[in-house]
């Protein structure tokens, strides 16, 4: 039974996806809401199961393939919440474009299942299986609008580059396995810390592994898929790609670098310095030139992943906690920003241009305020949550002596503030193109408002979220 309890959240999501897949075959077109409600019920049940089965002491099950610890529990909880909010915000958009179908919900659940497997992985095999399950589901989701050219083009780019990155990562895994003789993360850690195995082969393997991680995080120079996929995919799918998978990528990076390859810390720190610096500079500079909000947020994502890597660079408890705090904060901020794009969109109108937000304050002051909170938080302006997240990773980097990189992070943050504040300027100081107020369904109004206000409340009292992240890292098995 302890074996099943450790993977009970995954079992719930897997069974729910299979049931919804079958039920959707028999649901008439006018009653598609049944599939949506079943999906949300499964996500709610998953949240309850994660909370009930959460445990302080780590346990490894299924021959060491899976680990159940506080880190996986906390990340799964936020991933479930992120997917539930994504589907809730997207409901009207999907219905208006004929995408309110069972395959959207089933693929989202399978992508979530892949993320949860990655979060609990204790072996290279489990990590790779989870990554591929998540990636394949996301490729299919990007191509959900088969009748449109842009999503199909984005899906092909995502698939080709994703397959290439998976091959690179697998090549790195094979080198690590060849050097250490094990696929188990704990045994690989013992081998690297004890200087066993062929070090040259290990370092070569590390280069490929870090390259694969960099692609999944979307950091420079492995970022080329991010703007095209964010822009080309339907906005609900962009929201899904931009939120929960970042938590899985964080777990993936932590389990591999801080766990299995801790003995090569000096080597991967050097690589992360380059990736982090390039991402912060390139992402923020290119985002300034964007007039499409989805592309602007895509380039800002590249920069934000660079900031998150600052926490990994510190390579201590504070650094990893700060990186996890940053990942969770980024998900909460992105949910609000893309939630607002979905809210302003309507049939045959995509509110994805910066000009679409002109004069929003005159049309709906409350929604302008929510977008303002999202932009302030993404820019790192106090007292929003994003400020504390940036402060935490920069402080962790300074404590470990990466002062120059911390200065670069501060300077690039100032540059980044320009394009976030440009959105605020458009909303509050420009004339609106139309005067009709924004009408939001009851559920979306409550959830999006709570999500936006959370950026302010947690920014004033960040200790709650930081305490949870620190506890998860302290009790993590790696």
């Amino acid at each position: 039974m302890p074996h099943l309890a450790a993977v009970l959240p995954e079992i719930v999501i897997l069974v729910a996806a299979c049931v919804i897949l079958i039920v959707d075959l028999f649901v008439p077109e006018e009653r598609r809401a049944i599939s949506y409600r079943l999906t949300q019920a499964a996500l709610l049940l998953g949240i309850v199961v994660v909370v009930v089965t959460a445990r302080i002491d780590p346990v490894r099950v299924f021959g060491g393939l899976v680990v159940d610890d506080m880190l996986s529990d906390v990340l799964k909880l936020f991933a479930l919440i992120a997917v539930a909010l994504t589907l809730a915000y997207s409901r009207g958009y999907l219905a208006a474009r004929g995408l309110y179908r069972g395959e959207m919900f089933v693929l989202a659940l399978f992508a979530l299942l892949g993320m949860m497997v990655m979060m609990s992985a204790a072996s290279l095999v489990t990590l790779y299986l989870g990554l591929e399950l998540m990636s394949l589901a996301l490729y299919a989701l990007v191509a959900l609008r088969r009748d449109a050219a842009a999503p199909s083009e984005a899906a092909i780019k995502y698939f080709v580059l994703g397959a290439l990155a998976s091959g690179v990562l697998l090549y790195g895994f094979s080198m690590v396995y060849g050097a250490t003789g094990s696929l188990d993360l704990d045994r690989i850690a013992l081998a690297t810390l004890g200087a066993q195995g062929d070090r040259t082969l290990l370092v070569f393997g590390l280069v490929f592994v870090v390259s694969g991680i960099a692609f999944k995080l979307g950091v420079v120079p492995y970022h080329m898929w991010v703007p095209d996929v964010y822009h080309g995919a339907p906005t609900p799918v962009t929201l899904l790609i931009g939120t929960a998978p970042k938590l899985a990528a964080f777990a993936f990076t932590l389990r591999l670098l801080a766990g299995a390859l801790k003995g090569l810390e000096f080597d991967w720190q050097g690589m992360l310095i380059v990736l982090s610096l390039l991402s912060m500079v390139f992402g923020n500079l290119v985002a300034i030139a964007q007039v499409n909000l989805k592309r602007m947020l895509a380039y800002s994502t590249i920069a934000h992943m660079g900031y998150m890597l600052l926490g990994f660079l510190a390579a201590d408890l504070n650094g990893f906690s700060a990186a996890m705090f940053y990942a969770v904060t980024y998900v909460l901020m992105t949910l609000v920003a893309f939630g607002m794009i979905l809210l302003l969109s309507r049939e045959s109108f995509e509110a994805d241009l910066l000009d679409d937000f002109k004069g929003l304050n005159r049309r709906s002051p409350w929604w302008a305020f929510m977008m303002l909170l999202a932009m302030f938080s993404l820019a790192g302006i106090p007292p929003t949550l994003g400020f504390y997240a940036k402060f935490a990773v920069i402080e962790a980097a300074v404590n470990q002596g990466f002062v120059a990189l911390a200065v670069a992070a501060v300077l690039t943050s100032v540059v980044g503030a320009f394009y976030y504040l440009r959105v605020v300027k458009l909303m509050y100081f420009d004339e609106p193109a139309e005067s009709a107020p924004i009408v939001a369904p009851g559920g979306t109004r409550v959830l999006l408002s709570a999500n936006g206000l959370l950026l302010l409340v947690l920014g004033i009292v960040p200790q709650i979220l930081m305490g949870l992240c620190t506890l998860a890292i302290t009790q993590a098995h790696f």
Side-chain angles (χ1 to χ4, degrees):
M1 287 306 288
H3 288 58
L4 288 181
V7 294
L8 200 53
E10 285 88 342
I11 292 174
V12 168
I13 297 301
L14 176 61
V15 171
C18 295
V19 168
I20 294 166
L21 186 64
I22 295 170
V23 169
D24 192 68
L25 293 174
F26 302 97
V27 173
E29 192 65 33
E30 64 275 12
R31 301 187 68 184
R32 290 290 181 195
I34 292 175
S35 301
Y36 169 80
R37 288 179 184 137
L38 282 174
T39 306
Q40 290 291 25
L43 293 169
L44 185 60
L45 180 61
I47 291 170
V48 173
V49 170
V50 167
V51 172
V52 170
T53 60
R55 51 183 305 133
I56 294 292
D57 301 324
V59 58
R60 293 187 60 168
V61 295
F62 297 111
L65 289 171
V66 174
V67 61
D68 181 17
D69 56 7
M70 276 297 289
L71 177 67
S72 61
D73 290 332
V74 173
L75 289 175
K76 284 177 195 173
L77 182 64
F78 281 110
L80 284 159
I81 292 171
V83 174
L85 288 177
T86 298
L87 295 179
Y89 296 165
S90 309
R91 194 176 178 187
Y93 183 101
L94 294 171
R97 288 158 181 79
L99 300 174
Y100 197 55
R101 303 194 299 260
E103 57 256 46
M104 169 74 195
F105 309 125
V106 171
L107 286 169
L109 288 179
F110 275 118
L112 175 63
L113 179 61
M115 297 172 214
M116 294 167 78
V117 171
M118 289 166 68
M119 291 166 184
S120 287
S123 161
L124 294 181
V125 174
T126 331
L127 270 177
Y128 191 74
L129 285 177
L131 177 67
E132 285 306 291
L133 178 57
M134 178 191 77
S135 300
L136 290 172
L138 292 179
Y139 300 151
L141 277 170
V142 174
L144 200 61
R145 291 189 66 183
R146 295 183 292 273
D147 56 339
S152 302
E153 184 183 336
I156 291 171
K157 284 181 184 173
Y158 194 22
F159 173 73
V160 172
L161 293 173
L164 183 65
S166 292
V168 168
L169 188 66
L170 201 57
Y171 195 52
F173 281 177
S174 67
M175 286 188 179
V176 171
Y177 174 66
T180 62
S182 179
L183 295 169
D184 185 283
L185 298 186
D186 284 356
R187 291 180 184 172
I188 294 171
L190 286 174
T192 55
L193 287 168
Q196 301 168 13
D198 186 334
R199 179 171 171 78
T200 305
L201 187 61
L202 262 178
V203 172
F204 265 107
L206 178 67
V207 172
F208 285 98
V209 169
V210 171
S211 299
I213 290 172
F215 177 87
K216 296 304 174 189
L217 288 174
V219 294
V220 178
Y222 304 94
H223 64 284
M224 60 289 287
W225 63 274
V226 179
D228 291 339
V229 171
Y230 270 51
H231 188 197
T235 306
V237 178
T238 308
L239 176 55
L240 184 63
I241 292 173
T243 51
K246 301 302 182 194
L247 299 172
F250 167 82
F252 190 89
T253 309
L254 191 71
R255 301 267 188 214
L256 271 176
L257 298 187
L261 300 171
K262 187 169 177 57
L264 303 174
E265 184 179 301
F266 179 77
D267 300 282
W268 56 254
Q269 273 182 326
M271 290 183 241
L272 293 193
I273 287 172
V274 176
L275 295 174
S276 175
L277 182 61
L278 288 178
S279 301
M280 290 186 295
V281 174
F282 180 83
N284 280 315
L285 287 179
V286 180
I288 291 174
Q290 305 305 312
V291 294
N292 183 287
L293 189 54
K294 285 168 72 176
R295 288 190 80 85
M296 190 195 89
L297 291 173
Y299 282 106
S300 85
T301 296
I302 295 168
H304 280 289
M305 292 301 104
Y307 293 119
M308 191 184 77
L309 287 181
L310 289 175
F312 282 102
L313 275 172
D316 60 1
L317 174 63
N318 288 334
F320 296 140
S321 302
M324 182 173 175
F325 183 87
Y326 201 98
V328 174
T329 299
Y330 174 77
V331 170
L332 293 174
M333 297 185 298
T334 305
L335 280 166
V336 179
F338 277 99
M340 285 301 303
I341 297 177
L342 288 168
L343 184 63
L344 265 64
S345 299
R346 53 184 184 273
E347 193 170 358
S348 70
F349 175 71
E350 303 278 338
D352 58 353
L353 296 176
L354 291 177
D355 287 347
D356 295 332
F357 282 77
K358 275 184 175 177
L360 181 61
N361 183 52
R362 297 193 184 181
R363 297 175 62 192
S364 298
W366 178 249
W367 295 122
F369 178 60
M370 290 298 107
M371 192 63 172
L372 177 141
L373 288 177
M375 292 297 109
F376 272 25
S377 192
L378 284 163
I381 296 174
T384 55
L385 187 57
F387 166 74
Y388 194 81
K390 274 199 175 76
F391 178 80
V393 291
I394 291 172
E395 182 188 34
V398 169
N399 289 341
Q400 291 301 315
F402 299 104
V403 179
L405 200 60
V407 171
V410 173
L411 293 176
T412 53
S413 291
V414 174
V415 174
F418 171 79
Y419 57 83
Y420 291 123
L421 294 180
R422 186 171 59 186
V423 178
V424 176
K425 178 255 179 191
L426 288 171
M427 290 191 301
Y428 282 87
F429 297 103
D430 283 22
E431 292 293 327
E434 54 184 299
S435 57
I438 306 299
V439 179
T444 303
R445 186 165 55 241
V446 173
L447 291 173
L448 191 53
S449 299
N451 193 173
L453 291 175
L454 205 58
L455 299 180
L456 185 60
V457 173
L458 286 178
I460 296 169
V461 281
Q463 295 82 2
I464 300 169
L465 184 56
M466 182 52 96
L468 187 62
C469 294
T470 304
L471 178 65
I473 295 293
T474 307
Q475 298 299 326
H477 179 85
F478 65 84

